[in-house]
Amino acid sequence: MNYEEITEVRSLDKQVGNTVTVAGWAESIRSHGKVGFLVLRDGTGLVQGVLLKNELSDEEWELIDSITQESSVSLTGEVREEARAPGGFEISVTGLNLIGSSDGYPIQPKEHGVEFLLDHRHLWLRSSSQRSALRVRHEVEQAIHDFFYERDFVRIDTPILTGAIGESVGTLFELNYFEESAYLAQTGQLYVEAACPAFRKVYCFGPTFRAEKSKTRRHLTEFWMIEPEVAFANSNDNMILQEKFICYIVDRVLERCKPELQQLGRDTSELEAIAIPFARISYTESVELLKDKGSEIEWGSDLGAPDEMLLADQFDRPVFVHDYPKSVKAFYMKENPSDPRTVLCNDLLVQGYGELIGGSQREDNIDLLLARIREENLPEEAYDWYLDLRRYGTFIHSGFGLGLERTVAWITGRSHIRELIPFPRLMNRLSP
Ligand code: 4AD
Ligand code: MG
């Protein structure tokens, strides 16, 4: 069996009446008397093989007993349309080959505990819900690249090993780098800021790392983030880009992933209703609203997950919360000239999930930036190069970071972020 001779299941619609060979893994197999049915998954789709005793050699017919869930097999036979079969096609099998057996496959068609499934993540990936979720992730990643490509952004790959703390000291992974300390990147932002004067509109898309010591459904220790940065854009322009970006991604998934969303049981009406403009509310107004709704939040503290959820529920579309207190946000955000207790920033909150995006206008005044670095007790020397961006042609600029897994969790309606990355890294999980 040559690679070239194997037909992909997704293209069987063009092969009706022809004899083809398909290869993949047995999702299910059953036989009674002189007839058997094998549902084969090849990664591009499902097809049912119909096995008739009188169409097969004795050896082939006997093979059926050794084919179990997840055995790898190839089937040869004529393709027929069959509306009732999974995938809509059947193959009348005249050649059957067992490639690799699969005895005692751990994941059975029944309820398993989530820790068990995570321990078997290398196998769990094959399950239909996981395939659907990761296919949506793939589509979202492609949509992200297309969005920025269509708008002439240049992709900048930022370092994973860094010497400057990107966000905050609390969640750093620190490691030995020869004689020095290095950190795993919490963000690529400082580096895309540096690339702005070279290319004006840039973005990075890579893994980022945070030593999150809490176990929540929204936190991974390794997650993927998309961070655009735009020269001469202010905080308002930044929010406009974010809402266009979210709508673009959602539209793409609705256009190309309907079967996956359906398989996951996602009610798409909420996604279909999403439109520009998103709601906007300042942090200060949010605190008042939250207090009215029974929250104990006081001005000056960060919104916790329950506050974010409660707030998002007050709107029928995603909502920007803007201009948070300086004290709860990172050092690089621009002081708000009309209220210096706050910074020009925004989070984007969505229903059922809370924060998908954190963004801000950056502090372009070197004195204010330096003061913030000192206030936060960050090592000044490590930021010397970053301060150069304010020494040599400073400029208004803004950007944001979208968490990929949270976005895909929200779009697919999965509650826990761990299913939206192929191999999740959590506080208690480094394997598989
Ligand atoms: O709000 P954050 O910390 O913003 C930044 O990192 C900025 N440097 C972005 C920028 O302006 N260029 O993180 C951005 C997003 C969050 O809104 C969230 O979606 C996601 O990254 N995120 C996480 N996702 C999964 N697990 C975690 N531990 C996450 N921490 C943040
Ligand atoms: Mg944030």
Side-chain angles (χ1 to χ4, degrees), residues 208-308:
T208 44
F209 305 87
R210 300 201 187 170
E212 303 282 0
K213 287 169 203 90
S214 58
K215 294 180 200 160
T216 80
R217 64 187 185 93
R218 308 195 303 170
H219 290 92
L220 295 164
T221 55
E222 178 177 305
F223 65 97
W224 286 65
M225 188 159 46
I226 298 86
E227 297 181 272
E229 194 71 30
V230 182
F232 308 116
N234 65 21
S235 184
N236 182 47
D237 303 318
N238 198 27
M239 287 188 265
I240 292 171
L241 183 64
Q242 290 167 52
E243 54 193 11
K244 284 186 186 152
F245 184 46
I246 294 286
C247 289
Y248 186 95
I249 295 170
V250 168
D251 285 351
R252 173 72 72 83
V253 174
L254 287 172
E255 181 192 317
R256 305 214 34 173
C257 297
K258 272 273 163 65
E260 285 79 10
L261 294 176
Q262 192 176 12
Q263 199 275 325
L264 293 167
R266 175 66 156 125
D267 169 10
T268 53
S269 57
E270 184 202 335
L271 298 174
E272 272 148 12
I274 287 172
I276 290 169
F278 292 176
R280 288 192 192 192
I281 183 172
S282 72
Y283 167 86
T284 302
E285 292 163 334
S286 305
V287 169
E288 290 314 310
L289 183 64
L290 285 167
K291 279 181 168 168
D292 281 351
K293 299 278 166 198
S295 165
E296 290 180 354
I297 188 168
E298 291 298 335
W299 199 100
S301 49
D302 205 358
L303 303 185
D307 288 326
E308 287 185 0

Side-chain angles (χ1 to χ4, degrees), residues 148-177:
F148 290 118
Y149 192 81
E150 286 168 16
R151 285 162 183 74
D152 289 322
F153 281 65
V154 174
R155 181 178 179 182
I156 299 293
D157 297 318
T158 54
I160 286 169
L161 290 170
T162 69
I165 300 165
E167 289 294 320
S168 66
V169 183
T171 59
L172 279 175
F173 280 114
E174 193 172 349
L175 51 111
N176 270 337
Y177 190 74

Side-chain angles (χ1 to χ4, degrees), residues 91-111:
I91 292 181
S92 308
V93 180
T94 47
L96 174 65
N97 177 29
L98 171 62
I99 303 167
S101 59
S102 166
D103 294 329
Y105 187 69
I107 300 179
Q108 293 296 309
K110 60 163 195 180
E111 283 289 312

